[in-house]
Amino acid sequence: MIKVRMQPNEITDFFRKLEQDSRLNVWHLAILIAVAVLALNQGRYRRIKVSRSKMMAKSHINTVPTYHKYFKDLQDMGYISYRPSYHPGVRSELDLLKQP
């Protein structure tokens, strides 16, 4: 059974893991915080509905190239799994992979 709901202590543990990863910089952390906020708002860490505009607004990243660079880094580092939607009426989804 896949656990979908994220508990408050799990998000705290997740942030502790981020703190220990020296590969992460401020831009990575800004995106992961935006993902965590969306995850908490949606009550899940699997199949989090995302859009680039919301992610950029929540992470305070103002340029698309910067956003894409660090978002791709997070995928390569194994923090997130991203499933784009190419349909304008359907939001893309991502999963947080490094849970506590």
Side-chain angles (χ1 to χ4, degrees):
M1 179 175 175
I2 295 176
K3 186 174 161 188
V4 175
R5 291 237 172 257
M6 181 177 267
Q7 301 300 315
N9 64 322
E10 291 175 313
I11 196 72
T12 303
D13 292 343
F14 179 70
F15 283 127
R16 283 192 183 116
K17 281 188 176 184
L18 299 180
E19 180 181 38
Q20 296 170 358
D21 192 338
S22 63
R23 300 173 298 169
L24 299 175
N25 65 33
V26 66
W27 302 113
H28 295 116
L29 295 173
I31 292 171
L32 286 169
I33 289 169
V35 170
V37 167
L38 289 172
L40 286 171
N41 289 343
Q42 295 175 28
R44 59 182 66 216
Y45 57 84
R46 296 270 189 224
R47 297 188 180 187
I48 302 163
K49 302 285 186 180
V50 297
S51 70
R52 184 182 68 211
S53 60
K54 281 189 179 182
M55 291 288 294
M56 287 179 68
K58 289 187 180 307
S59 64
H60 300 271
I61 296 175
N62 297 319
T63 63
V64 174
T66 300
Y67 171 78
H68 281 291
K69 178 190 182 336
Y70 294 104
F71 191 81
K72 174 91 169 87
D73 283 353
L74 291 171
Q75 292 175 72
D76 294 343
M77 286 185 224
Y79 278 95
I80 58 176
S81 171
Y82 179 64
R83 290 176 303 286
S85 167
Y86 299 103
H87 188 282
V90 179
R91 286 192 289 170
S92 299
E93 295 179 338
L94 65 79
D95 295 333
L96 283 172
L97 298 178
K98 293 191 176 182
Q99 288 93 35

